[in-house]
Amino acid sequence: MRLDYTSDLWWKNAVVYCLDVETYADSDGDGVGDFRGLIDRVDHLADLGVTCLWLMPFYPSPNRDDGYDISDYYGVDPRLGTLGDVVEFLRTAKDRGMRVIVDLVVNHTSDEHPWFTESRSSLEAARRDWYVWRPEPSDHPAGLAFPDKETSNWQRDRRTGEYYLHRFYRFQPDLNIANPAVRDEICKIAAFWLALGVSGFRMDAVPFLLELDGIREHMDGDPKRWLQSLRSFVGRRNGEAMLLGEVNAAMKDLSSYFGGADGDALNMQFAFLLNQSLWLSLARGEGEPLEQIISALPVVPHDNAWATFLRNHDELTLDQLTVSQREEVFAAFGPKPGMQLYGHGLRRRTAAMLGGDGPRLRMAWSLMFSLPGTPALFMGDEIGMGEQLRIPDRYAVRVPMQWSRGRNGGFSTAAAGDLVRPLAGGGFGPAAVNVADQRRDPGSLLRFLRRLIRVRRETPELGWGSSTLIETADPALFAHRVEWEGSTVIAIHNLAGRPATAELDLGPRADGVHDLLADAEEPARRGRLPVSLDAYGGRWLRVRRR
Ligand code: GLC
């Protein structure tokens, strides 16, 4: 293995951790998390072993979509800190060996952004065409992001009587990327944060950003070409800059977001299709849905990667499953109507859906970490936090971090009523689930994930190698083999709540395996290895050759 390869294209062997500064740690007792609080907790993250922190939006915002409605791209929400605090945080994270990426939300701005105030003021306004205006509404683009709140993607503005495009809420007008001045401004925003020390961006809503409906007549060529130029621009400003796109799109389109075979557009994309099939596999206790999707996914170019995940900060979207498949996942993991959202998603967290800490939850993590790509976690997953269904909408999963059993779970010293968001409840509240207790307990989920992260980092084959599926007789099993630089790793997981067995063919000259998670050696007989897995068991095996 050539381990030196893994540091230039660092994202291919990274472990990403998403966090929201607002709900992470409150240093001044006002009930809102802040950069000083995050800095104080940076050693928790370093100790966990994650290598890349993704910060959700922390910019000035009216906060009607949790900061995804930005009113100034060059600042910091004053409740969270200052630009100076951001720089101190970036420096501290770097000191602990962690890179930081930030959310780049440029499909739309807040309707309170000064650009929009100017744009809407008159038909002749200087920034009129920074947004997408029409004299009449349209049925295009089709589909609504928030069908419970919006009925159209076009909103009439009384000042001029025209309609503006908003792919998300009506208070989030879409920027017009057909306008070269808007594209230049997006580069400038990226350049600004790169200059402060970030290593790249999680790009919000990429398919909507590049969508031509409403602006087709104004744009020369394919907007994906522009994605390629953005990628080369960020690369010129900072050689290690990486673009990780939120792309929940149809299978046939995914490759183009990487830039086709050249891979010169997004470095990484979140693997939404893989994620949806993973949950279907977990619901059924069978490997088949995962096998099917993995065989169908496009080949990832050499420098690029999928970002794999179990859950993120949004609803668990199941929009690309069939209705009956979606019903299976709902029945298994979110049967109550209050757990469901938009008819296609679940507003629950991983640990709560999988019944809390136990073999099934641990298997799901081990399986996800072994899939081709770079694993990403959501804050609090490392201790198995649950949701708070009393909080409306997608916010149910964005509860404050639980540091201890103490007041407000150690998140803040404010009065409970002053917290930015209520804490998780029931069996998943801070009394049962918190960092301090799990640090002390060698059998805790935190210790398990710490070990899994370490072993994943020491197994670059999983992020770099080419993988092939292994057929097994038992449908409960999912097994695959990854080859990289002459090394072979086989991962096998049992998705069912009963024991299962398989016999693995390790290939020529194999005389045994190193069981990576158990850190134990096991001999093979004539290149074959019988494997018995407990209910929800899993193993990662590096093949030893003579
Ligand atoms: C993305 C974000 C989501 C946000 C939306 C609009 O989907 O993940 O949280 O509401 O974009 O910016």
Side-chain angles (χ1 to χ4, degrees), residues 274-285:
L274 182 66
N275 174 267
Q276 300 189 26
S277 293
L278 173 55
W279 281 101
L280 183 60
S281 265
L282 291 170
R284 287 190 185 160

Side-chain angles (χ1 to χ4, degrees), residues 287-300:
E288 195 251 5
L290 252 187
E291 288 163 11
Q292 283 216 357
I293 202 82
I294 288 183
S295 323
L297 283 173
V299 175
V300 179

Side-chain angles (χ1 to χ4, degrees), residues 147-164:
D148 59 331
K149 300 271 170 28
E150 301 292 350
T151 51
S152 165
N153 289 315
W154 295 90
Q155 173 69 25
R156 183 171 187 276
D157 193 40
R158 60 180 171 76
R159 289 165 192 76
T160 58
E162 287 201 333
Y163 292 77
Y164 63 85

